[in-house]
Amino acid sequence: MNNIQATWFRGYVQIQVVGYHPELFFDLCVRNNINVWHIKKMDQTHCLGNIYIHDIKNMRKLRKQTRYKISFIEKKGIPFICKRTTANKPFVLGLIASLLLIILLSNMVWKINIEGVRPEIEKQIRTTLDENGIYVGKLKFSIQSVGDMQQLLLDEIPELLWVGVKEQGTTYALEGVEKTQVSEREQPSPHDIIAAKSGVITEMYVSKGRPLVDLNDYVKKGDKLVAADLSQGKEEAEEDTSNKNQVAAQADIYADTWYESKVTIPLEADYQTLSGEMTSKYFINWGKIALPIWGFFQQEFEQSQAEIEKKSIHFFQWKLPINIIRKDTYEQRHVQEKRTLAEAKTAGISQAKKNLLQQLGREAEIKSEKILHETSENGKVKLRLYFTVKENIAKIQDLSQGD
């Protein structure tokens, strides 16, 4: 079987030898290192046999030394098939174009199915996908990954609690779960509003309950700010809680609060940063081979950071062992910066503000800052800072918890 495959791949011809005792010609070929097989004598003057393509030249030299006549009967093997195929160029080009078209169509988005959400949310999802380049007819190579698509939808559509994305051939199947809207029919139990932190009241917005403090009052952490009991006077409210005329207090109470922070900033900064310049290259990957197909003449960066994304190529529903690789290269710069004392102080205050706001949340507002203590030693500036912050200090306390 292996011998048959070898002759087929190498290619061979069947020749006919005409003359007196034609089998002697094949014997001459063997003695001159020409492989011959399947010799068949037809009659006294005709004989058939097979030889390899690469032995034809030597066989013709031998024939010139004899009186035999040689003719070719059959040509078999892959070399002849390739020759016949390449001779018919329109057929070959049409076949290649058809295969490329099928591969192209197999790697496009033809359908986006969305389930589990209301029609208005479905419309929002489709609009968000369309605005971010994910729509029917788009090549899947240029679409972000399934994980990035899920995160995009959750960030852009707050009504979604969860969304799942599956890539099924040329279809993206999305299944979403909406956030449950809490019914407001059930009335909350009566409660007071107390101070979550100590501070000076600057703004008050009381929608339910009876205020117990005024603007510019200093309150300590835990002090009652708004009472649930509406029937009592301000002085009697803290002593008598038996009155049934009580509500669930609601209020936004802003106060000036104070924080101390310590920060150390070096006078010499040494760090890596991205310049914002980037290049993209595309490759066809097959096993360990990666051939570039786009982005040949783009600039190379001295220092760079690369991100690689691999996308599979499909032929109908089958995944081929071929991938499209996108390589994004970002220019990276090494920065060595020397700061003055004033610049270091400004950087330290900015960093301390950022850290404090991350701790307090978006609603907090830093009104002022003051440097309590400053030292400079060993190439570093150390600051002890004092911040005045405006924030909402209202906190709910159920009546059952007491004072």
Side-chain angles (χ1 to χ4, degrees), residues 1 60 97 167 218 227 244 247 291 302 306 321 372 401:
M1 183 67 181
R60 282 175 171 167
E167 184 181 343
Y218 172 77
K244 296 182 180 180
V247 297
L291 299 176
E302 292 184 4
L372 297 179
Q401 293 180 307

Side-chain angles (χ1 to χ4, degrees), residues 13 85 145 195 214 225 244 265 289 325 329 358-359 370 396:
V13 294
T85 303
S145 66
D214 295 319
L225 307 178
K244 296 182 180 180
I265 300 296
I289 301 173
I325 295 178
T329 305
Q358 286 179 347
Q359 176 186 345
K370 183 179 180 181
I396 293 174

Side-chain angles (χ1 to χ4, degrees), residues 18-70:
V18 180
Y20 185 70
H21 292 300
E23 66 275 7
L24 295 178
F25 179 77
F26 289 112
D27 179 66
L28 181 64
C29 289
V30 173
R31 284 189 275 118
N32 284 273
N33 296 322
I34 298 175
N35 293 315
V36 183
W37 69 97
H38 287 177
I39 301 173
K40 184 178 180 181
K41 189 171 183 180
M42 309 301 294
D43 52 41
Q44 292 298 324
T45 58
H46 293 77
C47 193
L48 300 176
N50 297 336
I51 65 171
Y52 285 117
I53 293 175
H54 60 79
D55 289 329
I56 292 177
K57 185 177 181 180
N58 293 331
M59 180 272 295
R60 282 175 171 167
K61 290 181 180 180
L62 287 176
R63 189 207 65 80
K64 290 179 180 179
Q65 301 172 13
T66 67
R67 295 184 176 180
Y68 293 108
K69 293 182 178 181
I70 305 296

